[in-house]
Amino acid sequence: MRIAAIIDSNILVSWNKTKLYVDALVVHPSNGKIVYVGESSVAQELVATLYSFMPAEEEKEYVVLRGKHYFIYPGLIDAHIHIEALGNRLYWPDLSRCTSALEARETLEQFWRNRKPSESLEYLLAYGWNDELWSSEDRIRWNADFIDESPILQGIAVFLYRRCLHVCLLNKRAMEMVHSDAYWRALQETSYVRRDSFGRLTGWHVEKASFMIQEYLPSPSIEERAHRVDQALKHVSTLGITSVETNDANDAWKVYHYLWSHSRDGDLCVRVYLTPMWEEIFDPVTYQPRQTNPEYLLGNRYLRWGRVKLFMDGSLGAKTASLLEPYKCEKEENCGILFMNKEECIRKVSIAMESGWQCETHAIGDRAVEMISQVYAICTSNNNNNNKSNNVNYRPVLTHAQLITPLSLQYMKQSKTIANIQPSFVSSDCKWIESRIGAERISFAYAWKTMDDFGILLSGGSDAPVEDASPWKGIYAAVERKDEDNIQVWQPKERLSLEKAFLLYTENAAFAEYSEHEKGSLEVGYYADMIVLEQNILSIPTLDIRNMSVIATIVGGKVVYARQQLIVEERRIDASKCNQVW
């Protein structure tokens, strides 16, 4: 079903520019963009005129949505997500709610027993285990031997990703499958595969050792990958997400291109801005661009790519985020892992910028954040000096920025870096973060308002499947900064206003992908990407926002998800009868 117009509803045009409600909007049938916002009487006349030019012999599926109890808002944009990984997680067991190692193992056993006979699975993959929820005894026992004590699992290759995705636990059969000579040669740093005090492999693989694993598993077909990507896109559309900025690897552009080219109408249910890894676009030895099939570079209104991803460090949960001072919870001095030195980072960022790519860099610890923010400042300044006539707008993105320093703020402002934050991390991490970094550094952690007050533009994402993909939980966390039990308030001075929180997922997120003139608000010339709600967000308790249920999600005027039947005109808009509709 496609929307011709929305009449007699409460339509919020923009969170930032106008912040006002109008009665109606009209969608152009040829491109799904908005041609009018304003009064219902004008919209009715415009619809009758606009749609009368459509071929009379075609019975149209365009309808008019009407209802004074509807509240229409700009579609939400997830500015940092991993769609293909989310699709995998929706398929495989979810260990995120397991409160013990035993419960996690029983969940795996149940999944394997209940798998369909037609599924000839070569291995078992699972996501989300969080040892922060477990006792110290459970943390010690969570290793390869504990998995293989299960008679159901011991003969199966089992791969278990921690919630942060920076750690993967493998059992004995899984290590036999992955630990080839090629794996060890590519890994180089063998300390990423942990051993106990006797030198035996524990099954714990961190950072690079964890990320490389999927390269050595049997590869699913492009059709299988596309199916899981499609399921993930459909899932996020039910949450009110109309666009994603997704970091997916392993030639993921082929998957998205396949999905788009095989779609019924040449469209997707969610717009995609794809971010491949830097190493997929540039050779890590020669630093020269790789040869890429040109057909994948051709963007359209549903599928674009123009950003590359770099990694500076790991995660606070895995104690691999790079810190200026050691972690407080370690017996031995540990400052985390820094994946690149400054010289290498400058070279990679410069090459990408010179080649016309936007840069996004994962940085969590204060050492990593300070280094990449300085690198961004150096590279944007150098490139601007070399291109004085062009004045290129690079818009570098620093993703996560969970622990900042005053110096990093200065560098970020100098380079106009966009801080891509994940507000839901506050709810998940607040109970244990102080034990990682100490009380003296806590005021610099998850400091969203400090960055906003300093003039740094913030965009918002979920980092799903690391966190729940719901943008509503992210908005709630940005405003309330409470734990997942909705009890403890953490660092309330860093709360964002409701309007600022929504900007993270609308206009700011659109700016982060160079789409601020097409998405993020409901204005003339913008895509008709909208969500339909039953409540006025600006006048309800914030707790209700956390549990928000979307009535419908509309992309380019097309209803891609509807929780309930929408109130539409009894007569569908047919070109031959268009002037009779009213």
Side-chain angles (χ1 to χ4, degrees), residues 454-553:
F454 205 76
I456 294 168
L457 186 113
L458 307 179
S459 62
S462 64
D463 203 19
V466 173
E467 291 284 345
D468 192 303
S470 170
W472 306 104
K473 292 182 178 179
I475 291 166
Y476 175 79
V479 174
E480 292 292 336
R481 292 182 71 91
K482 289 185 177 180
D483 62 18
E484 291 177 324
D485 298 322
N486 198 41
I487 299 173
Q488 177 186 350
V489 179
W490 188 71
Q491 295 289 91
K493 67 183 179 63
E494 294 294 345
R495 283 170 165 165
L496 296 179
S497 68
L498 182 59
E499 289 81 2
K500 291 277 190 181
F502 268 95
L503 284 173
L504 299 177
Y505 297 89
T506 52
E507 293 163 54
N508 291 7
F511 184 88
E513 59 162 282
Y514 297 92
S515 295
E516 70 271 22
H517 300 301
E518 294 182 321
K519 296 191 286 190
S521 54
L522 300 178
E523 303 179 62
V524 173
Y526 285 57
Y527 288 118
D529 296 352
M530 306 171 280
I531 52 176
V532 183
L533 305 178
E534 293 175 297
Q535 298 169 297
N536 180 351
I537 294 172
L538 299 176
S539 63
I540 62 175
T542 51
L543 184 58
D544 290 348
I545 293 177
R546 181 188 186 187
N547 302 311
M548 182 65 67
S549 180
V550 176
I551 295 178
T553 304

Side-chain angles (χ1 to χ4, degrees), residues 71-206:
F71 289 88
I72 315 297
Y73 296 93
L76 302 179
I77 303 170
D78 191 314
H80 182 71
I81 193 170
H82 307 274
I83 285 293
E84 185 167 10
L86 176 60
N88 287 332
R89 182 163 179 173
L90 293 172
Y91 174 78
W92 294 104
D94 180 6
L95 306 180
S96 62
R97 299 186 183 278
C98 297
T99 57
S100 68
L102 181 60
E103 184 182 354
R105 191 173 70 183
E106 289 173 346
T107 300
L108 298 172
E109 292 171 338
Q110 183 178 8
F111 174 87
W112 194 259
R113 284 194 299 264
N114 295 340
R115 73 191 187 282
K116 298 177 182 178
S118 59
E119 294 179 300
S120 55
L121 300 178
E122 299 181 65
Y123 55 86
L124 173 56
L125 188 64
Y127 293 87
W129 57 271
N130 184 2
D131 49 336
E132 296 296 335
L133 303 176
W134 301 352
S135 67
S136 56
E137 291 78 11
D138 274 330
R139 295 172 191 170
I140 293 172
R141 72 196 301 199
W142 188 239
N143 56 33
D145 291 341
F146 178 74
I147 301 301
D148 285 331
E149 287 173 7
S150 164
I152 296 175
L153 302 177
Q154 64 180 192
I156 305 162
V158 181
F159 303 85
L160 309 175
Y161 279 94
R162 191 182 184 277
R163 66 174 291 271
C164 64
L165 300 182
H166 288 255
V167 180
C168 190
L169 175 61
L170 282 65
N171 70 343
K172 181 179 180 181
R173 180 70 189 91
M175 287 188 279
E176 291 172 353
M177 178 183 288
V178 170
H179 288 174
S180 64
D181 291 340
Y183 175 84
W184 291 113
R185 284 196 302 270
L187 180 62
Q188 296 181 336
E189 180 51 74
T190 57
S191 65
Y192 290 157
V193 181
R194 299 286 168 80
R195 297 176 182 268
D196 63 17
S197 58
F198 298 100
R200 297 172 301 194
L201 293 173
T202 63
W204 278 56
H205 293 57
V206 302

